[in-house]
Amino acid sequence: TGSDTIGTNLVIAVGDLVKQFPNQLEPYTKALYGCLSSKKSKVRMTGLHVLMHLILSSHVKTSGNISSLARLLLDPDKRIASFAELFFHQLSRKTATSVYNLIPDILSNLTNDENLEEDGFKYIMQHILAFIRRDKQKEGLTQKLRHRLKTACGDE
């Protein structure tokens, strides 16, 4: 429909501007991530395409917003969910620690998401954790989580 076209064109235009002027538009990238929660699947798919390109080419930082992309693993539109899987696969190939470094952010945001059911949380985390293959990273992640749990429970 017309509003789908307008929405997707706006997402593409903002993506082009962010690529051209990343430092000036960095404070507004959260709005770009906002399109990932649109009710219109065409807008979500376009937003995913644009953000995937911007993140993988290092034009946009993921801190604080990556959980929005992780939530797309549960998207009812299977094409979007599949593309979200592809994004994390491509991101894991970028550097050995790219996904590993995002896990605390993803975990923190998803555990605070009251709209996310337990099964959905498990599915997302299983998918993300599958990219952690090095024993050293697994041990480091275990230590970080244990420390956070101790802190959260007041055991320190």
Side-chain angles (χ1 to χ4, degrees):
T1 64
S3 62
D4 285 353
T5 304
I6 293 169
T8 57
N9 286 342
L10 283 172
V11 170
I12 292 167
V14 170
D16 287 343
L17 286 171
V18 168
K19 187 174 181 178
Q20 200 67 30
F21 308 103
N23 295 332
Q24 292 85 349
L25 293 173
E26 191 273 328
Y28 306 102
T29 55
K30 189 167 181 110
L32 191 55
Y33 281 92
C35 71
L36 300 177
S37 58
S38 172
K39 293 179 180 175
K40 299 175 184 286
S41 63
K42 192 171 183 179
V43 174
R44 287 194 313 277
M45 179 62 104
T46 303
L48 178 56
H49 279 264
V50 168
L51 280 166
M52 183 176 176
H53 174 72
L54 291 171
I55 292 167
L56 294 176
S57 62
S58 301
H59 286 95
V60 168
K61 296 176 185 175
T62 58
S63 58
N65 299 303
I66 194 68
S67 62
S68 301
L69 282 161
R71 270 189 129 283
L72 290 180
L73 293 166
L74 302 173
D75 199 277
D77 184 330
K78 296 302 174 198
R79 296 172 303 140
I80 294 173
S82 174
F83 216 82
E85 287 181 29
L86 176 64
F87 165 74
F88 283 103
H89 176 72
Q90 293 294 336
L91 187 62
S92 73
R93 295 178 71 207
K94 191 173 179 182
T95 67
T97 59
S98 53
V99 174
Y100 170 80
N101 292 333
L102 297 174
I103 289 176
D105 188 23
I106 293 170
L107 188 61
S108 170
N109 285 312
L110 292 181
T111 54
N112 291 324
D113 187 342
E114 295 175 3
N115 297 320
L116 182 62
E117 295 180 13
E118 185 177 341
D119 288 341
F121 175 81
K122 286 180 182 178
Y123 179 82
I124 292 170
M125 291 310 299
Q126 285 174 342
H127 182 79
I128 301 298
L129 291 172
F131 293 107
I132 308 305
R133 294 188 182 100
R134 294 181 177 177
D135 288 339
K136 190 173 183 178
Q137 288 179 334
K138 290 176 185 177
E139 290 171 18
L141 190 56
T142 302
Q143 292 301 322
K144 284 181 185 181
L145 292 175
R146 287 178 67 206
H147 178 73
R148 282 189 180 211
L149 284 172
K150 283 182 181 180
T151 302
C153 295
D155 291 346
E156 281 196 289

